[in-house]
Amino acid sequence: MNPHLYPGSMAAQGMIYESLIEKTESGFAPLLAESWEVSDDGLAYTFHLRQGVTFHDGAPFNAEAVKKNIDAVQANAERHAWIKLSAKLKQVTVLDEHTVRLELSEPYAPTLLELSMTRPYVFLSPNDFKDGGTKDGVQGHDGTGPYRLAEQKQDQYAVFEANEDYWAGAPAVKRITAKVLPTGETTLLALQKGEVNFLFTDDRGADSLDVEAMQSLVDTGKYQLLRSKPMNTKLIAANSSRADSPVGERAVREALWHAVDRDTIAGTLLHGTETPAEALFSPNTPYADLDLPKRAYDLKRAAELLEEAGWKQGDGGIRTKAGKPLALQLVYDAASLSQKTEAELIQSAGASIGMKLELVGEPSPSLAARRASGDYDLLFNQTWGLAYDPQSTIASFTAESSYRHTTSGIERAEELYAEIEEAARTTDEAARKQLYRDILKTVHDEAVFIPISHGGVTVVAPSDLDGVAFKQTQFELPFEQMKFR
Amino acid sequence: MLRYAARRALAAVPLLAAISFLAFLLNQLAPIEPAVAVLHAQGVPQATEELIAAKRTELGLDRPLPIRYAEWLLSALKLDFGQSYVTGQPVLALLCPALLHTLQLAAVSFAVIVLLSIGLGVFCALREGTRLDQGTRAAAFFLTALPPYLLAAGLVWLLSVKLDLLPTSGLGGPASFVLPAAVLAAGYAGVYFRVIRSSMIAGRHDDSILYGRACGLPERTLTLRMLVQSLRLTVPIFAMAVPILLGSTVVVENVFAWPGLGTMSVKAILSRDYPVIQAFVLLLASAFVLFNAAADIVGAMLDPRLRKEL
Amino acid sequence: MKRLQRLLSDRLAAASLAVLAAILAAGALAPWIAPHPPDEVDMALRYAPWSLDYPLGNDQLGRCVLSRVLHGIRPSVLYVLAAVLASAGFGTAVGMAAGLLRGRTDALLMRLCDVMLSFPGYVMTLAVIGVLGTGLANILLAFILMKWAWFARVARTAVQRHADAGYVLFARTLGAGRLTLLRRHLLPACLPELAVLASGSFGTTLLQVSGLSFLGLGIQAPHAEWGMMLSEARQAMFSRPEQLLAPGFMIVLTVSAVNFLSDALQTALDPQAGGPRQAAAVPGEPEAAAAAMLRKEAV
């Protein structure tokens, strides 16, 4: 639960710790900072902190604490290389008790976004620091958030108690116990028996819910089922850099796009917990409400595309071109039953258009390793979620360890990368909008990210619980707003 | 006797050394570079080249193998298994509670196995060939052929949901032990029961029992004597059941979200947390060797003829 | 031959053997006797109940459950059997070599066995999966790597015991070569014990492989395997419990048949059935019981 490192549950970290600002549907909102100014050259950010806020251990939250925390994160900067801000942040200056200034070495547009994330730029009482820092561990978990960690047993449960001194008023739900449950049917049993009365899924959770059964539970009137807006996109990343594989060819990727039955996946296999995705980002994502051409589930069109590209029907029902069979490898996360089922469905559709898909299930670290080394044709993946989309996901197009191999094989790759860099640097909002439009259009046209469904958070809560809402990330929920009728 | 015990114990030492080397090698044989595995396990979204290089130096992966083995072994002897790639916590801090929980579960199951198999074994041996005997044996047979996860699902559904008697999963009060222990014990009890039963039946035809009966000793005394005799043969087998149970809780723990070694090891494997996997393998293999030695020694104590072995 | 007759005179054993033979044959012939391709998806038939066309109904992707069960015999039973036979063959060869050559080779091979035997079943399998990654092939590889040692031990003990027996000494004086000796006398002599061990470990391996598949560490999609079918069915356990029936029944049936056969084998091959030898069917670890058996034989 060290807020400056990555292990630990994001949901729990979000209850205990807070950032300076928060990303909401309508833009950035004050959290621990009441207001902020950005200098004209985009190099200095001045934050006016909320007054009278204390950490759970009673220590005051002030400019000094902000500086200490950010310095602690920076001391471990190489761990946060994916957050570009960590490389661009030059220094933090305490202007007075409640004012701090962050100075950057060059303008960086997603600064506010990265400061709003659940980690690493959140604040822990300096009394909990170890050797003046946090990279070697912490001595306590005192944040400023609406809940404090009362008790924790690794792999079993954690108890959170309301922070009565919370600056926005004490939360109404006084005590929350988070339990570790086995996946699968036991979750439902636990709900039915009342061992658990509140359940939420992150993007992987849909795997462990028997939604049909859950619905029957809701029908009893004891529970309500709530779904958030789309938070992220499940997709298949196609390795365009593989010139020797059919996947390097745009027509093949487009044909596959047409062969994915999104309605069946979202509606039937996932019981409507997710919605069909027609583009890399759902239209409610910033900069992504673009009218991109839809590639519907259409096996005939898929077959035509292949035919036009010179893939002719060969022996055994598999198309060939210049003696090469139309065979691709699709890698999925072996721990995810839904990915497996989706892969099987897509495989079967592929077979009917003469495309052979070989399924490979592996643990998720292998997937990440393959993504980084480019050792894949097709790979199940997902965008990072509303709090990070589209900026962070787009930034990762260029990163070797992320989607470099996915994007580098397309025709105007160099141009694309230049645009991505420009979009992060520019301080002109209109220009950025145009750049993002171009970028998203390019990857859409090239069909390197084949969207499947938009995931969100599903909550099963007692029917007398009011105020169940969602945040901009699929990993957290605003428990402080909930109360029992 | 003491000499036998000492020699048997000494024989375990080279074994332990070989095991430790194999466990250490696990990490080296992995197809994914450990430094990359660590970074991924720690949830760093992007592993850059610099990060990987830095991690490699930090983990000492750039030094020769024998030196690393020696260091690893020395610290392992001091119960320092390094740090988990995923959480950064010392492996021991993860291992200890998990081992404790698995030990608790195994101990309860072991007690159930011993009680059930001796009770039913004696019961059936005395009624050899009757319907009751055949019925019990058939039931035991069925249980050993039933996949534990299926049995678990059925029991949870019946006892937790329909009858609402027991918690569905997790470690809680004594009630939470019932289902996992029952599922774990079911298969094993079926087999050990048969061991006891058949050795009791074999014992019945033993000369000493026949002689005792001829002398008019009461049946109860004879049964007891038969039991003692068959236990003499089966105690070593029971002793080995302990490490076997420890190593085979994997499925049951995963089904019941039991915070023990099985859950820990599967999680570690799926996230390629090698220090944890190594410690797990080393611990269980060592337990196996030690219990094996103990079983031999106990067996020799009970049956002096076995001592000349070795 | 006499032994086989005695085995078959046990009606239960004969029935078990018939069931197993039928299952193995069905597995071998699956592509020809299955009514549909096992991975033919038809979402319109999702969770359809049984019908003439689909006698066992359809699964979550509308695939024919009967066809999947039949195709599942290969990974669930046939491949496991192959793995057990492979480890038995290799282990027997090593054990016999050790028993015949004696001396240093023997000592070295047996120490190696000891090391392999110190890894409890699941632990070794998990370790191999941890290194090589998930997949049925890796699981089976782990089983072979581990189990040969038990066969080696049993074979060695048997060879040593029989090597000093009168008839072998007699044959040797008549000038029979080592290989002839092995083939004509020693191998047949230790076959019964190996058969008991092999059948016992076959049953437990079946259960363990299905358990690992159930945890998602086993076979790759879209291939059908019983453990994997069960884990898919578990997702909908409360809305569609009937999905558990077919694969669950097949596992119980196969393992029961194997266990009955193993039991009958022991009785048939060892007229004084009883004693700890019975323990050769300890689930999870038949080998631990085999070790106890060896201990007794060393007396």
Side-chain angles (χ1 to χ4, degrees), chain A residues 78, chain B residues 33-36 39 47-62:
Chain A
E78 77 267 25
Chain B
E33 156 135 29
V36 179
L39 287 170
T48 56
E49 280 304 318
E50 310 91 76
L51 266 179
I52 294 172
K55 203 55 166 186
R56 213 173 281 152
T57 321
E58 184 193 320
L59 296 174
L61 292 173
D62 40 8

Side-chain angles (χ1 to χ4, degrees), chain A residues 61-76:
Chain A
F61 170 79
N62 53 24
E64 197 55 45
V66 171
K67 180 175 166 53
K68 276 187 184 153
N69 270 278
I70 294 183
D71 286 347
V73 173
Q74 293 302 113
N76 201 12

Side-chain angles (χ1 to χ4, degrees), chain B residues 31 141 149 157 191 194 296, chain C residues 117 131 210 238 259 263 283 295:
Chain B
F141 232 113
Y149 45 92
W157 181 76
V191 176
R194 285 167 55 217
D296 277 348
Chain C
L117 298 183
V131 171
S210 84
F238 294 97
N259 282 356
D263 227 30
R295 204 173 283 130

Side-chain angles (χ1 to χ4, degrees), chain C residues 23 26-27 30 33-38 56-57 59 63-77 223-226 229-230 243-251 253-254:
Chain C
I23 291 175
I33 58 172
H36 302 272
L56 293 180
D59 71 357
R63 295 173 295 198
C64 170
V65 172
L66 175 64
S67 304
R68 288 183 74 71
V69 165
L70 287 174
H71 278 269
I73 296 175
R74 293 183 168 201
S76 310
V77 186
H223 303 291
E225 196 275 342
W226 296 342
M229 288 176 76
L230 276 175
Q243 291 279 323
L244 287 167
L245 286 181
F249 174 78
M250 287 307 288
I251 292 181
L253 178 73
T254 315

Side-chain angles (χ1 to χ4, degrees), chain A residues 243-364:
Chain A
D244 55 339
S245 155
V247 76
E249 215 175 297
R250 176 172 155 181
V252 171
R253 301 193 295 262
E254 277 189 275
L256 183 66
W257 190 313
H258 282 293
V260 177
D261 186 355
R262 296 172 180 77
D263 289 333
T264 300
I265 289 176
T268 312
L269 292 184
L270 301 172
H271 308 276
T273 48
E274 305 199 354
T275 49
E278 307 294 347
L280 177 55
F281 298 112
S282 76
N284 65 334
T285 312
Y287 306 111
D289 193 5
L290 312 168
D291 205 13
L292 296 168
K294 206 169 135 175
R295 293 188 185 96
Y297 172 56
D298 185 348
L299 292 178
K300 231 172 83 198
R301 177 78 194 114
E304 273 168 29
L305 278 167
L306 291 174
E307 198 72 31
E308 282 163 22
W311 292 96
K312 300 291 177 207
Q313 202 61 249
D315 299 333
I318 301 168
R319 287 175 189 270
T320 54
K321 179 170 161 182
K324 217 167 57 177
L326 183 51
L328 301 167
Q329 190 191 45
L330 171 59
V331 188
Y332 66 92
D333 180 351
S336 162
L337 261 174
S338 68
Q339 274 185 19
K340 175 175 150 290
T341 312
E342 287 166 22
E344 286 172 330
L345 184 74
I346 296 168
Q347 181 189 44
S348 155
S352 69
I353 54 166
M355 183 188 289
K356 186 182 164 170
L357 293 174
E358 185 204 340
L359 305 188
V360 181
E362 286 183 351
S364 62

Side-chain angles (χ1 to χ4, degrees), chain A residues 34-338:
Chain A
E34 279 183 313
S35 62
W36 58 93
E37 296 122 31
V38 186
S39 66
D40 291 336
D41 57 4
L43 287 177
Y45 287 71
T46 310
F47 291 91
H48 303 281
L49 305 180
R50 196 175 291 281
Q51 307 204 356
V53 176
T54 54
F55 287 103
H56 297 157
D57 64 352
F61 170 79
N62 53 24
E64 197 55 45
V66 171
K67 180 175 166 53
K68 276 187 184 153
N69 270 278
I70 294 183
D71 286 347
V73 173
Q74 293 302 113
N76 201 12
E78 77 267 25
R79 281 294 293 283
H80 307 295
W82 70 284
I83 299 255
K84 297 278 174 349
L85 178 60
S86 64
K88 296 183 174 152
L89 194 61
K90 214 167 60 187
Q91 68 167 344
V92 183
T93 321
V94 175
L95 296 183
D96 63 43
E97 173 79 11
H98 296 291
T99 318
V100 278
R101 190 171 67 213
L102 274 56
E103 282 165 49
L104 273 54
S105 54
E106 57 176 315
Y108 182 60
T111 297
L112 288 177
L113 177 74
E114 294 186 352
L115 283 174
S116 75
M117 291 175 182
T118 317
R119 48 204 186 190
Y121 294 108
V122 293
F123 303 94
L124 169 78
S125 168
N127 297 339
D128 294 334
F129 283 20
K130 213 184 219 170
D131 309 327
T134 55
K135 66 177 180 180
D136 302 318
V138 293
Q139 301 172 348
H141 304 102
D142 297 297
T144 56
Y147 288 90
R148 66 174 84 225
L149 184 65
E151 202 189 341
Q152 185 193 11
K153 268 238 160 105
Q154 186 87 30
D155 289 334
Q156 293 185 55
Y157 62 87
V159 179
F160 303 90
E161 272 169 6
N163 174 10
E164 294 298 337
D165 302 321
Y166 187 51
W167 54 267
V173 177
K174 293 300 175 201
R175 194 180 164 86
I176 296 173
T177 306
K179 260 195 199 171
V180 176
L181 290 177
T183 53
E185 77 292 341
T186 322
T187 325
L188 174 81
L189 294 179
L191 266 176
Q192 206 167 359
K193 281 199 61 183
E195 278 171 30
V196 171
N197 57 12
F198 187 95
L199 191 85
F200 77 100
T201 66
D202 60 16
D203 48 343
R204 287 240 182 112
D207 290 359
S208 51
L209 290 187
D210 178 352
V211 182
E212 234 171 299
M214 213 62 86
Q215 195 60 47
S216 67
L217 207 57
V218 172
D219 293 341
T220 63
K222 265 162 69 186
Y223 287 98
Q224 52 179 334
L225 189 76
L226 295 133
R227 287 186 191 134
S228 70
K229 286 192 179 160
M231 294 271 186
N232 72 348
T233 310
K234 315 288 173 64
L235 53 93
I236 293 174
N239 189 348
S240 66
S241 70
R242 274 209 168 166
D244 55 339
S245 155
V247 76
E249 215 175 297
R250 176 172 155 181
V252 171
R253 301 193 295 262
E254 277 189 275
L256 183 66
W257 190 313
H258 282 293
V260 177
D261 186 355
R262 296 172 180 77
D263 289 333
T264 300
I265 289 176
T268 312
L269 292 184
L270 301 172
H271 308 276
T273 48
E274 305 199 354
T275 49
E278 307 294 347
L280 177 55
F281 298 112
S282 76
N284 65 334
T285 312
Y287 306 111
D289 193 5
L290 312 168
D291 205 13
L292 296 168
K294 206 169 135 175
R295 293 188 185 96
Y297 172 56
D298 185 348
L299 292 178
K300 231 172 83 198
R301 177 78 194 114
E304 273 168 29
L305 278 167
L306 291 174
E307 198 72 31
E308 282 163 22
W311 292 96
K312 300 291 177 207
Q313 202 61 249
D315 299 333
I318 301 168
R319 287 175 189 270
T320 54
K321 179 170 161 182
K324 217 167 57 177
L326 183 51
L328 301 167
Q329 190 191 45
L330 171 59
V331 188
Y332 66 92
D333 180 351
S336 162
L337 261 174
S338 68

